[in-house]
Amino acid sequence: KRFTCVHKGTMQRVIICAVVLSALASAGAVPMKHAAAKGHGSVKHRQYTASEPAPKTIPCSTVPAAFCNAAAGCQVVDEVCQGDPNSPPINCTALMTSTGAAVASAELALMTSIESIKSSAWTTMKGTQAALGVAEDAIKSYDSALKSYNSSLIAYEKEADKLDLLSAQLVELTTNCSIPVPPLTCPGAIMEIKASIAKQNATCELTYIKTTLEEQKMQIMESAVEMQDAVVTQALAVPAKVFSDAAADINAAETNKKAAIAFWTVVKNACIHPAAMPAASVASQHKKSAMKRLSRKH
C-alpha cells in the first residue's frame, strides 16, 4: 500500500505522518522516501549485492593422469596431478559432457577389443587346427612306414637265420666228409646244401633290398614329421601370441575405462550437489503457513 502525508500547515500532522512512514519503512512495509526540496520526491529502492557462490573445484590429487589438464583445473607436476592456479574455473557442463563421452568411448574400445579377440581367435584356431591335422596325417604315415620297416627287418632276420643254419650244416657236413674214406653220400649232400645256401642267399638279398626300401620310406616319413613338427610349433605359437596380445589390449581397455569412470565420478561429485533440505525452523514455518491457509479456506 502507498501512504501519503498531506501538508496542511499544521506541524502536528507532519510530525505524525513522518513517524508513521518511518515506522512502516523500517518494518519493510513501504520503501523509504528521501525528502525533496519542496516536501515531495521520487522513491529510490535500496540496492543489495548478493554474494557470488564459490567456484567449484576438482580435487586434482584424485584425478587420473590421463585427465589431469587445464579443463579440470589441474596440471602434472613431477608426475603428480596437482591444482593449477592459472587455470580458469571449471566448466561443469562441458566436463560432464566430455567425461560422459570418455566413458562411452572407453566402453566401446573395450567391447571392440573383445569382439576382435573373438574373431582373431577363431581365425587363428582354424589355422592351428589345419596344421595339427596335417601333422596328424604325417605322424600316421610315419607310424605306418615304421611298422612296415620293422616287419621287413623281422622277415630279413628270419631269412638270415635260415642262411646261417644252412651255412652251419655245410660246415658240419664238410667236416664229417673230410675223413679218409667219406661216405658215398657226401658229395651229393654237400652239393645239395650248397644249392640251398645259394637259394637262401638270394632270398636274403631280396628281403634285404625290401628292408632297405622300407627304411628309406620310413626316413622320408620321418622328415615329413619333423618338418610338420616345426609347422605345428609355429601354429601353436601364433595363438599364444594372439591371446597374449589380446589380453594386453583388453587389460589396457579396462584400465582406460576405469580411469574414465573414476574421473567422471570426481567431476560428478564436484559439480553435482543434491538440493539442500530446509532447516527445521523454516520447514516448521512453512507448515504453519500452509495450515493457516487451509483453515482460511474452510
Side-chain angles (χ1 to χ4, degrees):
K1 296 180 181 180
R2 183 180 296 275
F3 293 88
T4 306
C5 284
V6 180
H7 177 59
K8 293 184 179 180
T10 59
M11 183 62 68
Q12 185 176 6
R13 290 181 180 179
V14 172
I15 293 173
I16 292 173
C17 284
V19 172
V20 170
L21 287 173
S22 177
L24 291 174
S26 63
V30 295
M32 180 63 100
K33 293 182 179 179
H34 295 281
K38 295 183 179 181
H40 298 282
S42 60
V43 179
K44 292 184 179 180
H45 295 277
R46 184 179 178 184
Q47 300 296 324
Y48 294 92
T49 303
S51 61
E52 296 182 357
K56 296 174 181 178
T57 59
I58 288 178
C60 294
S61 60
T62 62
V63 174
F67 299 94
C68 185
N69 50 44
C74 306
Q75 62 180 345
V76 177
V77 178
D78 296 332
E79 300 182 356
V80 177
C81 189
Q82 300 178 0
D84 184 0
N86 298 321
S87 295
I90 64 172
N91 186 332
C92 282
T93 301
L95 279 176
M96 290 300 296
T97 301
S98 62
T99 53
V103 171
S105 177
E107 176 68 18
L108 177 61
L110 176 59
M111 296 305 297
T112 300
S113 296
I114 294 175
E115 289 299 323
S116 177
I117 181 57
K118 287 170 60 179
S119 175
S120 59
W122 174 246
T123 302
T124 303
M125 291 310 297
K126 286 198 299 184
T128 303
Q129 186 177 11
L132 290 172
V134 175
E136 183 180 13
D137 293 340
I139 292 173
K140 288 180 179 179
S141 298
Y142 172 76
D143 289 343
S144 177
L146 178 61
K147 290 178 180 179
S148 296
Y149 176 56
N150 189 62
S151 297
S152 66
L153 287 175
I154 294 173
Y156 174 76
E157 186 65 21
K158 290 180 178 180
E159 298 302 329
D161 288 342
K162 291 179 180 179
L163 181 61
D164 290 341
L165 179 59
L166 289 175
S167 297
Q169 290 176 355
L170 177 60
V171 170
E172 183 180 3
L173 181 60
T174 302
T175 301
N176 292 335
C177 292
S178 296
I179 59 177
V181 183
L184 296 177
T185 57
C186 279
I190 291 175
M191 290 182 60
E192 183 178 354
I193 291 179
K194 286 183 177 181
S196 297
I197 289 174
K199 183 178 179 180
Q200 187 61 31
N201 191 40
T203 301
C204 284
E205 289 181 356
L206 292 175
T207 305
Y208 182 77
I209 292 173
K210 183 179 180 180
T211 299
T212 302
L213 292 175
E214 293 295 339
E215 182 182 14
Q216 292 175 354
K217 288 172 58 178
M218 185 199 68
Q219 290 173 348
I220 293 173
M221 293 299 102
E222 184 177 11
S223 298
V225 170
E226 290 177 353
M227 182 175 63
Q228 198 58 36
D229 283 344
V231 174
V232 169
T233 300
Q234 183 178 3
L236 293 176
V238 169
K241 186 177 186 306
V242 168
F243 284 118
S244 177
D245 293 344
D249 290 342
I250 291 176
N251 288 336
E254 287 180 341
T255 299
N256 293 337
K257 178 183 175 182
K258 289 178 181 178
I261 292 176
F263 183 54
W264 173 83
T265 303
V266 170
V267 173
K268 175 180 69 69
N269 292 339
C271 293
I272 308 299
H273 299 286
M277 297 299 293
S281 59
V282 178
S284 177
Q285 184 177 358
H286 289 333
K287 183 176 181 182
K288 289 180 180 179
S289 299
M291 293 298 291
K292 286 182 180 179
R293 289 194 297 270
L294 185 60
S295 63
R296 287 174 184 173
K297 291 181 180 180
H298 294 286

